[in-house]
Amino acid sequence: IVYNKKSTIMTIIVEEERHLKDILKQIVLDPKCLTPAHVVGGIRSIVRGEASEAQIGGFLIALKLRRIDSDPEMVAAMAQETLRGAIVPDIGLDGKPREEIGMIVDIVGTGGDGWNTFNISTTSSLIAVAAGLTVAKHGSRAFSSNCGSADLLEGMGCNLNAILPVHVARFLKEHRYCFVLANNFHPSMHYVKMMCNELAFPTPFKVLGPMINPVVPHRAVIGVNSKALGPVMAEALRIMGRRNYAVVCGDENLDEISIAGDTHVWHIQESGEIKNYTIHPRDFGVPAHPLSEAAGATLEDNKATLHRLLSNELEDRDIAARDFVLINTGFLLYVAGTASSMEEGATIARQTLESGKVKTLLENFAKAIYTITCMCESSQPPP
């Protein structure tokens, strides 16, 4: 692994391209030999399409047994190589977005915490845009919950499959919001995803989701489903060169900022220092609520909740979900520098939500997707 002066991974040197079968053999016969280069070599073999399903499954199991998701350097290497195979949208030169797009942020979680709460980060991302931020929301359809971020937006009339890499710059410039559907930007991970779905345990690749947004936001709030994973994720992101990112985990091992009590934060500063601190709903000027009061349910239930939130038609049962959204949005506004404090962030979030701007934003986003869908269909040659 080659680092630059800021201890950021520049490249991972793989001495020779090796078939996954050979890498597996070495890992099994000499487990202590496993290095980031082996992991990278294995991913490359999968991406090239030369590995069988059995070999991919064996690789995933080997990585899990070796507990590489507890090693920041390994996690960083996996994320870097996965990004290497992603379709990166053209939004600027030399990794710097065009001036008219400006700073880009994300709010996303690993999922898999088992709490099945309402779609907090998805709703927070919309409020943050209406409050003035530019968000490239990386996400996918449900795997471990009843309703994933993509499921909810598609249920609200957004055809996310229509958003291709070529459209990202336009959405970010004109709407300050774009949903980056993982399937459309990481086609090489199809084989891995297929095998992950077949296995009865979360593989190390599950950790990578929030780390491999191909837009590479300037700042982000990333939720993890285990307090033990927090410092690992933060250090891995630091190694990758990410700054002004905050990794969060609710005390209940929740991959959001908890509305029920304490949340642990690992905040990567501009200097690269990782500050660890704890926050509580009271820091946002918001009361705590039991997580059960903000539970998600079916897609239809979550759609109805989102509609009531955006339409200012709240029922008593929606208060916990609203406050849950406010503290997560407020923290993103704080990390992005829009708010000087977490409490100010929550206040801005509430004012924005109650203004009706978020509902209009979502309606315009859906219409814009419909427009590009029609344009793509009209450009197709007749059968």
Side-chain angles (χ1 to χ4, degrees):
I1 300 181
V2 177
Y3 294 90
N4 64 16
K5 293 180 180 179
K6 295 182 179 180
S7 297
T8 299
I9 287 182
M10 295 177 64
T11 186
I12 299 169
I13 299 175
V14 179
E15 294 182 355
E16 58 178 325
E17 299 291 353
R18 301 172 62 190
H19 193 284
L20 183 56
K21 182 178 180 180
D22 299 322
I23 295 173
L24 274 173
K25 180 179 179 180
Q26 187 168 355
I27 293 174
V28 171
L29 295 181
D30 186 8
K32 294 182 179 180
C33 79
L34 184 61
T35 66
H38 289 115
V39 174
V40 167
I43 294 175
R44 288 183 186 175
S45 183
I46 293 170
V47 169
R48 290 195 298 265
E50 62 188 27
S52 69
E53 290 185 5
Q55 290 163 353
I56 296 174
F59 183 60
L60 294 174
I61 292 171
L63 296 183
K64 184 66 175 179
L65 292 176
R66 293 292 297 151
R67 300 183 69 246
I68 72 157
D69 46 5
S70 64
D71 184 330
E73 196 171 79
M74 288 286 195
V75 173
M78 288 180 66
Q80 288 281 80
E81 185 60 26
T82 304
L83 274 173
R84 183 173 177 267
I87 300 175
V88 179
D90 180 16
I91 58 171
L93 299 174
D94 300 324
K96 297 180 179 179
R98 292 194 297 263
E99 290 183 3
E100 60 264 33
I101 292 179
M103 183 177 68
I104 300 170
V105 303
D106 191 10
I107 178 168
V108 62
T110 58
D113 59 20
W115 285 100
N116 201 33
T117 54
F118 173 68
N119 301 88
I120 302 300
S121 65
T122 308
T123 309
S124 294
S125 70
L126 295 169
I127 299 173
V129 173
L133 296 182
T134 299
V135 177
K137 177 79 174 80
H138 192 233
S140 60
R141 297 184 179 87
F143 173 66
S144 57
S145 64
N146 293 334
C147 178
S149 55
D151 301 303
L152 180 63
L153 290 177
E154 288 177 333
M156 299 298 287
C158 304
N159 178 15
L160 301 180
N161 276 324
I163 302 178
L164 303 177
V166 69
H167 301 130
V168 173
R170 172 183 169 184
F171 275 95
L172 292 177
K173 180 180 178 182
E174 297 181 3
H175 302 277
R176 298 205 316 279
Y177 188 75
C178 186
F179 193 93
V180 182
L181 185 63
N183 288 357
N184 289 352
F185 293 79
H186 298 280
S188 61
M189 285 292 102
H190 169 72
Y191 304 105
V192 173
K193 182 178 179 182
M194 192 167 53
M195 290 305 303
C196 287
N197 291 342
E198 293 291 326
L199 296 173
F201 56 85
T203 73
F205 279 90
K206 182 65 177 173
V207 174
L208 301 186
M211 305 176 69
I212 57 175
N213 184 336
V215 175
V216 189
H218 296 83
R219 303 187 181 204
V221 174
I222 294 179
V224 294
N225 60 16
S226 163
K227 292 188 286 293
L229 180 57
V232 176
M233 174 77 82
E235 176 61 16
L237 288 166
R238 190 197 67 78
I239 291 173
M240 293 173 68
R242 308 298 171 83
R243 299 295 183 265
N244 300 302
Y245 274 51
V247 178
V248 301
C249 183
D251 206 44
E252 315 85 355
N253 285 326
L254 178 76
D255 72 333
E256 318 268 10
I257 296 173
S258 178
I259 191 61
D262 288 340
T263 294
H264 304 271
V265 181
W266 297 265
H267 198 158
I268 310 171
Q269 307 296 299
E270 182 64 37
S271 64
E273 177 190 1
I274 299 175
K275 288 190 175 181
N276 180 212
Y277 54 91
T278 303
I279 58 179
H280 188 276
R282 74 172 72 91
D283 297 318
F284 297 86
V286 171
H289 302 271
L291 281 180
S292 58
E293 293 183 9
T298 65
L299 171 59
E300 292 304 317
D301 289 332
N302 286 9
K303 283 170 53 181
T305 300
L306 180 60
H307 176 77
R308 291 193 299 273
L309 287 173
L310 302 191
S311 302
N312 287 314
E313 298 173 355
L314 296 184
E315 300 176 2
D316 289 344
R317 58 177 171 162
D318 301 319
I319 301 302
R322 181 203 62 189
D323 290 349
F324 204 170
V325 168
L326 293 182
I327 63 174
N328 279 271
T329 310
F331 192 67
L332 178 60
L333 292 168
Y334 171 67
V335 168
T338 299
S340 60
S341 68
M342 289 176 273
E343 185 168 1
E344 182 186 11
T347 299
I348 294 172
R350 181 164 186 164
Q351 292 170 345
T352 304
L353 180 61
E354 293 177 349
S355 72
K357 293 178 182 178
V358 190
K359 183 179 180 181
T360 302
L361 168 73
L362 182 56
E363 291 171 347
N364 290 339
F365 180 60
K367 289 176 183 176
I369 297 176
Y370 178 74
T371 299
I372 63 170
T373 303
C374 292
M375 291 174 60
C376 290
E377 289 176 352
S378 65
S379 66
Q380 294 295 320

